[in-house]
Amino acid sequence: MVDPEEVSAKQPTWPAKDGATRVPYWVFQRQDVLEAENKKIFQGPVWNFLCLEAELVEAGDFVAVFAGETPVIVTRDKDGQIYAFENRCAHRGSLLALEDRGNVKDFTCVYHAWTHSLQGDLIGVAFKDGIKGCGGIASDFKMENQGPRKMRVSVLHGLVFGSFDEDVDDIEDYLGEAVLERIERVLGGRKPVVLGKFTQILPNNWKLYVENTKDSYHASILHTFFTTFELNRLSQKGGIIVNETGGCHVSYSCVDHGGSLDEVQKNAYKDENIRSDSDLSLTDMTLLESFKEYDDDITLQILSVFPNFVLQQIQNSVAVRTVLPKGTDSMHLKWTYIGFEDDTPDQRKARLKLSNLIGPGGYVSMEDGCIGNFVQRGTKGAAEESAVLAMGGYSIETSEDRITEAAIRGFWTEYRGRMGL
């Protein structure tokens, strides 16, 4: 006889007919889904964003990061190359790097003092030959056959990506030409400088934040600051780009400096009864002062790479974000603010002031810190129900229209394919 509890515990079916237009809420709630994501996505043939090359200047520099929930060490060795491997001792699995960053000559495990090189190779075993002929490692033990898993590494315009799958597509093919060009637009030919970094803990499933970054529809509705100061409105010139596989996207817009909007566009938010005409004000309007940095006049660009990376350009505030799962209903969002080596003092000051727009308490983005949890809580008892993604139709196509959920549908298209759901 089949146990009813065992049947109810089985993973539900995501109907093929739903495609990427209806997303069942159980994908944000189930532990077995999270475990499959770590194996099929983060440890699969994808490119995980790891860190900035600027964080690894000298030989021996390292950062301890994550690919999904897998701890990873990224290093620069004496040959000048960057390497990445599991933050896991070859002996009993203890963490090798206990600090977030530093400079070392090697990694020696605190548990039993097994030593690993900057490339992740096991190079030393404490008391390997025993003492006075007694003890020691087994005679057939080969150090070269041991060691934590290594990642294939690719560096693109100062961004360091890693994959546990050696057969993953080259990063350029993985991104597609259009997305690649938009990364180059912000970072190409420039040397980034880290201005600041922190980690934000969000009480929601990691995929809810990924959806949020791809959701051009919500930005000027949820974020009152955007519309009040006219930094981003759907009536402004802009569009979205979705790569061929769906998982990578770009959303962009331009502030209307020339007063080219007609009356319909100017009144669009008011006519929809959307909270856009607020009484918000700034005592110091220099907070919003910016300088011309790009010839195309794009003042906002949000770019994502499947599964965990976001590159932002909001005015002159440039930052990268890393999305990391920490259980089914929690995640870490790592922010790194970027300047450039050739910035003037005034440009650096402008970047720092504009960085107040984005972050946990950012004037623009503070709402993103809670909206994911609103969904997590609101769907708690609705595992069998589904979200609806029908804005802009049902395609995942690039367009000059941002009143669309095409980029979110693109994410779920790639997600379903990689997960086999």
Side-chain angles (χ1 to χ4, degrees):
M1 184 175 178
V2 178
D3 185 344
E5 291 188 2
E6 182 180 342
V7 173
S8 65
K10 290 181 180 179
Q11 189 179 104
T13 299
W14 188 343
K17 64 180 178 61
D18 289 350
T21 65
R22 299 189 71 88
V23 180
Y25 294 125
W26 55 258
V27 300
F28 303 108
Q29 301 169 350
R30 296 182 63 94
Q31 180 65 29
D32 54 355
V33 171
L34 178 63
E35 291 170 0
E37 289 168 350
N38 275 297
K39 181 178 180 180
K40 295 181 179 182
I41 294 180
F42 294 104
Q43 296 183 22
V46 305
W47 285 105
N48 295 273
F49 176 69
L50 300 176
C51 66
L52 291 169
E53 188 177 17
E55 298 178 78
L56 304 167
V57 178
E58 305 291 339
D61 285 351
F62 78 90
V63 292
V65 295
F66 287 85
E69 293 187 307
T70 303
V72 170
I73 296 173
V74 192
T75 69
R76 188 182 292 277
D77 203 353
K78 294 177 182 178
D79 62 1
Q81 298 301 306
I82 292 176
Y83 298 88
F85 50 92
E86 278 185 298
N87 188 358
R88 174 180 61 81
C89 179
H91 181 211
R92 300 274 288 280
S94 174
L95 291 172
L96 288 171
L98 302 180
E99 302 293 334
D100 289 338
R101 61 192 62 250
N103 184 279
V104 296
K105 64 177 182 178
D106 55 42
F107 294 94
T108 300
C109 180
V110 297
Y111 200 176
H112 299 95
W114 285 33
T115 303
H116 305 68
S117 74
L118 292 172
Q119 298 184 27
D121 298 318
L122 178 63
I123 57 175
V125 173
F127 299 115
K128 176 176 175 290
D129 299 320
I131 299 177
K132 292 185 177 182
C134 297
I137 202 76
S139 59
D140 61 350
F141 180 84
K142 304 293 184 184
M143 285 196 295
E144 59 270 23
N145 296 334
Q146 309 299 317
R149 287 178 298 173
K150 298 183 179 182
M151 302 184 80
R152 178 181 167 187
V153 171
S154 186
V155 181
L156 179 70
H157 298 303
L159 306 172
V160 181
F161 292 89
S163 179
F164 282 110
D165 191 323
E166 281 293 323
D167 296 325
V168 64
D169 291 340
D170 291 342
I171 188 70
E172 295 81 4
D173 295 329
Y174 183 87
L175 295 172
E177 184 177 349
V179 174
L180 186 63
E181 288 177 352
R182 291 305 182 113
I183 294 177
E184 184 175 8
R185 172 187 168 274
V186 177
L187 301 175
R190 315 172 80 182
K191 188 171 182 180
V193 175
V194 176
L195 301 182
K197 58 194 303 128
F198 52 83
T199 299
Q200 181 180 5
I201 300 173
L202 296 178
N204 54 260
N205 188 275
W206 69 277
K207 299 185 292 299
L208 288 170
Y209 187 81
V210 172
E211 281 193 325
N212 181 275
T213 65
K214 296 172 180 287
D215 185 358
S216 56
Y217 175 37
H218 92 281
S220 59
I221 298 174
L222 175 67
H223 303 308
T224 307
F225 195 93
F226 261 156
T227 50
T228 298
F229 296 98
E230 299 186 353
L231 299 178
N232 179 24
R233 291 190 173 207
L234 291 170
S235 52
Q236 294 169 346
K237 180 182 177 181
I240 64 164
I241 298 168
V242 184
N243 76 338
E244 185 175 351
T245 58
C248 304
H249 103 291
V250 183
S251 174
Y252 62 94
S253 64
C254 306
V255 170
D256 176 48
H257 294 295
S260 61
L261 300 181
D262 59 31
E263 289 304 309
V264 173
Q265 291 171 313
K266 290 178 180 178
N267 296 323
Y269 284 79
K270 184 177 181 180
D271 292 344
E272 290 281 344
N273 294 316
I274 292 173
R275 55 188 186 99
S276 58
D277 298 321
S278 73
D279 59 357
L280 290 174
S281 62
L282 287 172
T283 301
D284 181 7
M285 286 298 292
T286 65
L287 177 73
L288 299 180
E289 287 183 356
S290 60
F291 58 92
K292 185 174 177 60
E293 189 168 6
Y294 305 99
D295 293 335
D296 55 16
D297 291 327
I298 290 175
T299 50
L300 185 148
Q301 176 179 291
I302 302 296
L303 180 152
S304 69
V305 176
F306 188 91
N308 74 332
F309 172 74
V310 179
L311 169 65
Q312 74 164 54
Q313 174 239 324
I314 299 177
Q315 306 288 75
N316 305 112
S317 175
V318 180
V320 296
R321 313 174 200 170
T322 316
V323 182
L324 299 171
K326 298 293 179 182
T328 58
D329 58 0
S330 182
M331 58 160 283
H332 285 184
L333 180 59
K334 296 179 63 176
W335 300 75
T336 303
Y337 293 101
I338 298 173
F340 297 96
E341 196 174 59
D342 59 356
D343 284 345
T344 67
D346 285 344
Q347 289 173 336
R348 182 64 51 81
K349 183 178 180 180
R351 293 195 198 281
L352 290 171
K353 293 183 77 170
L354 287 164
S355 69
N356 287 289
L357 301 180
I358 305 298
Y363 291 124
V364 170
S365 66
M366 67 177 79
E367 296 94 343
D368 289 331
C370 60
I371 198 67
N373 184 247
F374 291 173
V375 177
Q376 197 82 39
R377 289 158 56 191
T379 59
K380 185 72 173 179
E384 302 301 323
E385 301 298 323
S386 299
V388 179
L389 298 173
M391 288 301 296
Y394 300 111
S395 75
I396 61 170
E397 295 177 356
T398 294
S399 74
E400 295 182 1
D401 176 13
R402 290 177 296 134
I403 311 176
T404 178
E405 292 167 322
I408 309 176
R409 289 190 292 269
F411 169 77
W412 289 112
T413 298
E414 181 146 348
Y415 177 90
R416 291 198 69 173
R418 293 188 180 277
M419 289 285 287
L421 292 175

